[in-house]
């Protein structure tokens, strides 16, 4: 085996690696060293296994586009996120953990509502959700926690409307989503949360079958479940995926993005002063690149031997493909650690790459454009109500962010 | 420049439509369609960027 690091397994660095103290927005320094010194090398994860760690932007794109890499969590060698995630695998079986052709078949059943024009048509409704939440925030006491008051409800309200999930039930899916995306959740907690959500969506699909409405779940129920193309349980799994995938991610981008902007006042001014929607759109791409909140890496297992850059990844080897450091690759993004809202960040990999690239990205982009384009203008004096040192970051989350963001104005 | 799209490969990311809306569109299922297979030079940069950014390698350019 031609490894750049000829470690015995015992002295392999543990992954995930810690971020540097006082640098909450930057990837762990050890990832940077890997990227420059050993971009294709191995790490040790929680279960003692030693998957490859992929750190370069070009390697990430090449590998994620390669059909010889599998997302199938049931294959031996797949580098699981945690014991909880591994145990939850059966319950979470949806197209994000399946390979083509089954992945493509299931994904295509739900692509329609995410088409650019359909998402654009939702923009006024999202603007209203955002404006109403800001009204409530301003009418309430200060300081306030921006996560609870704003960052979480925006994507919850939006995804509920899109799927046709009653918002009254948001406690149920927010608390269960939390259990699913927490690295420290036990196996039992993850399985219980997934089962609770799947049962809930299963019942909801039955109701939609009986009385279809104008929403995604009704379309899935009447077009796929009623025709026997998809079992109701599998449709429910797709529903859970959509509910969970777009919720914590977007919420963390809102809260962590706000914090990053408050810490970079020149960039915040630039965004606030912009009257061209393209500036806001470009700011969203740069914040996605810079924050890369899905900091646990894309996880894959090789189905065949793959030669890349003089190395051989063997069939059965696991891979952790670290988008956070790939998005700071100086070969693609000059001065990569600078938050620069005017740069062309469109080649970022914050939504992944290859056939599993985020299905919800048009929605996420539009939501973030509305939020970043509205919040700081309507609340021009928005400020952190605590010191940076006091904030707790989601080091243990599958998705990175802040637990609370106390703000005042 | 001639543009070709491979619809079975498309994963409906929408990125080409955002980059080059005069050249790419989506059908009712969000799958890529071509508005202009022979776009003028003013679109070439955006079309090349679309092909580079497409996550599914569904856009092919034949430079004339
Ligand atoms: C800023 C917010 C978001 C980020 C950073 C994000 C990130 C990602 C990433 C990195 C993947 C790739 C997973 C992989 O390769 O294994 C992914 C997949 C996915 N995302 Fe998102 N996402 C966001 C918002 C959303 C939203 C709003 C939705 C939907 C409502 C959504 C639905 C999905 C789905 C269904 C997949 C699985 C796609 C597949 O396997 O084919 N995401 N997302
Ligand atoms: S960029 Fe590629 S995958 Fe995305 S819509 Fe266009 S052709 Fe399809």
């Amino acid at each position: 085996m031609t490894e750049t690091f000829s470690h015995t397994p015992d002295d392999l660095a543990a992954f995930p690696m810690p971020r540097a103290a006082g640098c909450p927005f930057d990837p762990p320094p050890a990832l940077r060293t890997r990227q420059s010194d050993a971009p294709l090398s191995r790490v040790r994860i929680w279960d003692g296994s030693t998957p490859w760690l992929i750190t370069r932007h070009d390697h990430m794109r090449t590998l994620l586009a390669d059909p010889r890499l599998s997302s199938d969590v049931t294959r031996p060698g797949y580098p699981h996120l945690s014991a909880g995630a591994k145990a939850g695998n059966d319950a979470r079986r949806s197209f994000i953990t399946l390979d083509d052709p089954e992945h493509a078949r299931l994904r295509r059943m739900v692509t329609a509502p995410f088409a650019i024009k359909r998402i654009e048509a939702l923009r006024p409704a999202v603007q209203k959700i955002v404006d109403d939440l800001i009204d409530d925030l301003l009418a309430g006491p200060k300081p306030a926690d921006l996560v609870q008051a704003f960052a979480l409800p925006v994507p919850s309200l939006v995804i509920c409307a899109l799927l046709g999930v009653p918002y009254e039930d948001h406690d149920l899916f927010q608390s269960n989503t939390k259990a699913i995306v927490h690295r420290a959740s036990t196996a039992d907690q993850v399985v219980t949360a997934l089962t609770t959500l799947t049962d809930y969506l299963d019942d909801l699909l039955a109701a939609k079958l009986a009385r279809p409405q104008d929403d995604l779940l009704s379309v899935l129920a009447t077009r796929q479940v009623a025709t026997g193309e998809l079992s109701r349980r599998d449709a429910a799994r797709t529903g859970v995926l959509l509910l969970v995938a777009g919720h914590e991610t977007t919420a963390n981008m809102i809260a962590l993005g706000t914090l990053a902007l408050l810490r970079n006042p020149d960039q915040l001014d630039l965004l606030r002063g912009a009257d061209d929607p393209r500036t806001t759109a470009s700011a969203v791409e740069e914040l996605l690149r810079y924050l890369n909140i899905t900091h646990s890496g894309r996880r894959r297992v090789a189905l065949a031997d793959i030669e890349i850059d003089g190395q051989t990844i063997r069939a059965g080897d696991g891979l952790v493909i670290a988008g956070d450091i790939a998005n700071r690759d100086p070969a693609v993004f000059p001065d990569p650690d600078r938050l620069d809202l005017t740069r062309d960040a469109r080649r970022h990999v914050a939504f992944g790459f290859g056939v599993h690239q985020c299905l919800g990205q048009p929605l996420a982009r539009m939501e973030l454009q509305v939020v970043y384009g509205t919040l700081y203008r309507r609340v021009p004096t928005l400020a952190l109500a605590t010191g940076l040192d006091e904030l707790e970051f989601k080091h243990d989350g599958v998705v990175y962010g802040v637990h609370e963001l106390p703000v005042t104005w | 420049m001639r543009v070709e799209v491979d619809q079975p490969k498309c994963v409906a990311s929408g990125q080409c439509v955002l980059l080059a809306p005069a050249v790419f569109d989506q059908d009712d299922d969000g799958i890529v369609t071509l508005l202009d297979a022979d776009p003028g030079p003013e679109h070439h940069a955006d079309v090349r960027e679309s092909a580079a950014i497409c996550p599914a390698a569904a856009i092919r350019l034949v430079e004339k």
Side-chain angles (χ1 to χ4, degrees), chain A residues 126-192:
Chain A
V126 172
Q127 183 71 55
K128 168 129 185 33
I129 286 173
V130 167
D131 281 330
D132 289 352
L133 285 166
I134 296 174
D135 288 343
D136 294 349
L137 179 77
L138 292 175
K142 54 186 172 180
D145 173 18
L146 195 76
V147 174
Q148 290 300 330
F150 185 71
L152 277 169
V154 171
S156 289
L157 283 159
V158 172
I159 197 67
C160 283
L162 192 96
L163 290 180
V165 170
Y167 188 68
E168 303 84 81
D169 296 335
H170 73 280
D171 273 349
L172 177 113
F173 59 80
Q174 275 180 7
S175 58
N176 285 295
T177 302
K178 221 180 208 164
I180 294 167
V181 300
H182 203 286
R183 275 187 199 151
S185 294
T186 64
D188 278 353
Q189 285 168 325
V190 173
V191 173
T192 307

Side-chain angles (χ1 to χ4, degrees), chain A residues 198-214:
Chain A
T198 314
D199 289 345
Y200 169 74
L201 278 156
D202 206 330
D203 290 345
L204 201 55
L205 279 159
K208 302 280 181 191
L209 261 176
R211 271 180 322 286
Q213 287 156 305
D214 182 20

Side-chain angles (χ1 to χ4, degrees), chain A residues 20 28 51 56 62 89-90 117 140 240 299 305 353 371 397:
Chain A
R56 260 171 48 179
T62 304
N89 276 335
D90 204 42
K117 283 178 187 153
V240 173
R299 308 279 172 127
D305 290 0
F353 198 70
V371 166

Side-chain angles (χ1 to χ4, degrees), chain A residues 31-302:
Chain A
L31 283 181
R32 188 170 304 279
T33 316
R34 285 290 178 112
Q35 187 178 64
S36 54
D37 299 353
L40 293 160
S41 52
R42 289 180 185 264
V43 278
R44 174 183 305 285
I45 60 172
W46 64 278
D47 62 355
S49 66
T50 56
W52 293 87
L53 177 70
I54 311 301
T55 50
R56 260 171 48 179
H57 186 273
D58 59 340
H59 290 160
M60 175 165 180
R61 292 195 2 146
T62 304
L63 286 167
L64 285 178
D66 193 320
R68 294 171 297 178
L69 286 195
S70 170
S71 290
D72 185 346
V73 290
T74 63
R75 284 184 186 273
Y78 182 94
H80 296 281
L81 276 165
S82 63
K86 185 176 180 182
N89 276 335
D90 204 42
R92 95 166 68 213
R93 221 173 151 69
S94 58
F95 59 85
I96 198 166
T97 64
L98 294 167
D99 295 333
D100 282 348
E102 187 60 3
H103 158 266
R105 185 179 85 89
L106 294 172
R107 176 165 168 143
R108 283 224 174 173
M109 291 177 185
V110 287
T111 45
F114 296 96
I116 300 297
K117 283 178 187 153
R118 298 270 304 265
I119 293 296
E120 267 317 305
L122 293 179
R123 191 182 285 266
V126 172
Q127 183 71 55
K128 168 129 185 33
I129 286 173
V130 167
D131 281 330
D132 289 352
L133 285 166
I134 296 174
D135 288 343
D136 294 349
L137 179 77
L138 292 175
K142 54 186 172 180
D145 173 18
L146 195 76
V147 174
Q148 290 300 330
F150 185 71
L152 277 169
V154 171
S156 289
L157 283 159
V158 172
I159 197 67
C160 283
L162 192 96
L163 290 180
V165 170
Y167 188 68
E168 303 84 81
D169 296 335
H170 73 280
D171 273 349
L172 177 113
F173 59 80
Q174 275 180 7
S175 58
N176 285 295
T177 302
K178 221 180 208 164
I180 294 167
V181 300
H182 203 286
R183 275 187 199 151
S185 294
T186 64
D188 278 353
Q189 285 168 325
V190 173
V191 173
T192 307
L194 280 165
T195 311
T196 308
L197 278 182
T198 314
D199 289 345
Y200 169 74
L201 278 156
D202 206 330
D203 290 345
L204 201 55
L205 279 159
K208 302 280 181 191
L209 261 176
R211 271 180 322 286
Q213 287 156 305
D214 182 20
D215 54 50
L216 190 153
L217 289 179
S218 297
V219 173
L220 207 54
T222 52
R223 278 213 214 146
Q224 269 89 27
V225 178
T227 58
E229 216 183 309
L230 197 62
S231 72
R232 208 172 81 197
R233 198 66 186 170
D234 282 343
R237 291 179 206 271
T238 293
V240 173
L241 172 62
L242 293 171
L243 204 53
V244 172
H247 183 231
E248 273 275 317
T249 43
T250 312
N252 282 308
M253 274 306 297
I254 294 173
L256 195 64
T258 298
L259 179 63
L261 288 165
L262 290 172
R263 302 289 300 176
N264 289 271
D266 56 325
Q267 298 297 304
L268 181 54
D269 282 348
L270 200 146
L271 179 62
R272 215 177 349 227
D275 39 35
D276 184 346
R278 277 177 302 190
T279 310
T280 315
S282 137
V284 168
E285 301 309 311
E286 171 65 349
L287 282 158
L288 284 163
R289 178 195 75 86
Y290 182 74
L291 299 172
N292 198 96
I293 52 165
T294 56
H295 67 155
S296 306
R298 315 269 47 79
R299 308 279 172 127
R300 299 291 190 268
V301 56

